[in-house]
Amino acid sequence: MALIVLAAFSDEVPRPGAATLGGLTLGNFSIVVSHASLVALGNSVLIAGCASVGAMVIGCGLAFLAARTDVRWKLLVYFAGIAPMFLPSLVGALAWSLLAGPGTGYLNVVLRSVGIGNVFDVYSHLGMVFVLTLYYAPYAFLLVYGSLALMNPDLEDAAGVHGGSMRSTLREVTFPLALPAALGSGVLIFALTMENFPVAQMIGTPGQVETLPTFIYRLMNAAPARGTEAAAVAVVLTLVLMVVTAVQQRVVLKRKFTTVSGKGMKPRVLAIGRWRTIGLVLAAAYLFLALVLPALALLLASLQSSPYLSDLSQLTTAGGLSFWSLGHTAIDPEFLHALRNSLLVAVVAATVGTTLSFVVGYTVYRTTSPGRKVLEYVAMAPLAVPAIVMGLGLLWTWVAAPVPVYGTVAVLVIAFVGIYLPQGYRGTTASILQVDDDLEDSAVLLGARRFRAVRTVTVPLMRTGLLSTLLLLLMLSMRELSAALFLFTSDTRLLSIVVFDEYDNGALRDAASTSLLYCLAIMVVVLLARLLGARPANGAR
């Protein structure tokens, strides 16, 4: 990040073999007040704000249904709340471009076949808001579900004893207690959608809707590259996200003091009458739009023999559908190489990230080392740095540094560990705080060295929490695209890069086939991690 700031005030970017910058200048910041930059900033704020509201409505609604009501098929409602997290926003954007593209989108083709013209156009502000809403609602669900599920029922019982109706109890007690979690998740979703690059590039760019991340990417891909101006825009984006993240931290911290009780309890289950069925239908509709329909679109695109579909009759002609693309992709050496790289980077980044998070968390909460609070701030700092800015900074750092890391998977591991350290730190510290330190101290009093006490007492007791953090970092590393865009080479391509390149080159059938196998790989990774005892954890970026 320091190199980004320096580059923003310099007339040169770092060159290979030279870590020095050119002369200092403020001229790069003139682009920040340019028309294109202000439009991009306005689009980012507008789209992120609308998507946050939409994601909050869906996520909080599903969380309430699953945690506190007698809605029908509650397990399905819970699954609908978290399932879209397993679909990267990159793949979701690709699927919805296939479904609702203005010319050849499947939904428009179906409508034309029954005499209705084109209705859907995902390449617009509304389309971006829609796609971001679908794939960020699970973040609100996870945070708010936890708050509602842990809420002390004594407070609601007291309202009932004093004559409060169910509606007034919800309005005066339940919802206010969950408000910090809801606001915290809203601010977090705003920050994440504002820095989102895949959806902005795949949905926004075709519709000429530019956001700050795509603006930075365009500056870096100009000929010649306008790196110093991109750094100036990156500094502005980071400052905005630092403010948003600071607000989010303050809001989320309040949750610990308002809803969590120390004694055993079971939350009240509210009878919602006819809304039991309506709630189930709404949850199923969300699951259909976020997961089922996109998966069907990807499958259909991968089976099409023709790259474009203008009429449904093309699907019923001889040879109209074929498994050739899926089969060819599954054995394609390029796909297998990218799959190997993705798994290698994800496993190493998750392992290193979990270990580093545990060491930092243990130092902060179990030792009296000087500067441990500073260490905590350092661990959480990447949360305020957009992934695309982090990738840009790491590119310049390792290109200029004399250490031969650039061009290897090691630089991707470094990037992913840095980006997702806050999520790993949160997961491990939550587990550390749940384990009484008297257990470890007892082992020390009985003659064990501190390291042995940690290894044989604390770590085994934290096994589930550590494995859950490992699973979370595995999923996030498998999905990452923004930072990898600046760091990959032809030998270190990841599956996310392959999908993005195929889409960018217009090879939609190949992109759909790769996306399906990409999602399958993520599911296998998650299932293997679950077999080891890991559980999905909150705090995904």
Side-chain angles (χ1 to χ4, degrees), residues 177-233:
L177 285 174
L179 190 59
L183 291 176
S185 63
V187 177
L188 175 64
I189 291 170
F190 180 83
L192 296 179
T193 50
M194 188 158 176
E195 68 159 293
N196 182 283
F197 172 77
V199 175
Q201 181 68 13
M202 301 179 81
I203 300 293
T205 299
Q208 300 182 336
V209 180
E210 194 160 55
T211 61
L212 283 181
T214 56
F215 189 49
I216 294 172
Y217 182 72
R218 182 164 66 85
L219 291 174
M220 286 300 296
N221 282 276
R226 300 163 64 181
T228 55
E229 292 175 307
V233 178

Side-chain angles (χ1 to χ4, degrees), residues 333-355:
E334 185 178 348
F335 169 79
L336 295 176
H337 185 68
L339 175 61
R340 189 164 53 248
N341 284 340
S342 294
L343 292 174
L344 176 63
V345 170
V347 170
V348 176
T351 305
V352 173
T354 304
T355 305

Side-chain angles (χ1 to χ4, degrees), residues 344-354 412-414 416-417 470 473 477:
L344 176 63
V345 170
V347 170
V348 176
T351 305
V352 173
T354 304
L412 296 170
V413 171
I414 293 171
F416 293 178
V417 170
L470 184 75
L473 298 186
S477 298

Side-chain angles (χ1 to χ4, degrees), residues 306-487:
S306 171
Y308 298 104
L309 182 71
S310 58
D311 192 282
L312 289 178
S313 60
Q314 287 180 238
L315 300 177
T316 57
T317 58
L321 296 175
S322 168
F323 283 96
W324 180 87
S325 179
L326 266 177
H328 174 73
T329 302
I331 60 173
D332 182 23
E334 185 178 348
F335 169 79
L336 295 176
H337 185 68
L339 175 61
R340 189 164 53 248
N341 284 340
S342 294
L343 292 174
L344 176 63
V345 170
V347 170
V348 176
T351 305
V352 173
T354 304
T355 305
L356 182 61
S357 300
F358 173 76
V359 172
V360 175
Y362 187 89
T363 304
V364 171
Y365 288 99
R366 290 293 177 87
T367 73
T368 56
S369 302
R372 60 186 187 281
K373 288 298 179 185
V374 175
L375 201 59
E376 183 171 29
Y377 286 121
V378 171
M380 295 302 296
L383 201 61
V385 182
I388 195 167
V389 176
M390 183 77 84
L392 188 60
L394 287 169
L395 168 69
W396 288 341
T397 300
W398 294 109
V399 163
V403 182
V405 171
Y406 181 72
T408 68
V409 294
V411 73
L412 296 170
V413 171
I414 293 171
F416 293 178
V417 170
I419 292 170
Y420 297 122
L421 183 60
Q423 285 77 12
Y425 177 76
R426 277 184 179 171
T428 53
T429 53
S431 299
I432 288 174
L433 292 173
Q434 288 176 342
V435 177
D436 194 339
D437 51 2
D438 287 346
L439 300 171
E440 183 183 310
D441 291 340
S442 298
V444 174
L445 288 174
L446 292 172
R449 292 183 179 276
R450 178 63 65 178
F451 178 76
R452 184 181 179 188
V454 172
R455 181 172 57 84
T456 57
V457 177
T458 305
V459 171
L461 289 172
M462 292 175 57
R463 178 174 175 271
T464 300
L466 291 175
L467 286 175
S468 298
T469 302
L470 184 75
L471 170 61
L472 175 66
L473 298 186
L474 265 175
M475 284 172 41
L476 294 174
S477 298
M478 285 290 290
R479 296 153 49 113
E480 178 56 36
L481 169 68
S482 304
L485 270 176
F486 292 109
L487 300 172

Side-chain angles (χ1 to χ4, degrees), residues 60 63-65 67-68 143-152 156 174-175 177-178 181 259 267:
C60 294
F64 177 70
L65 289 172
R68 302 303 305 274
L143 282 172
V144 177
Y145 178 85
S147 174
L148 291 171
L150 291 171
M151 193 174 290
N152 190 343
E156 295 166 319
T174 307
F175 293 152
L177 285 174
T259 63

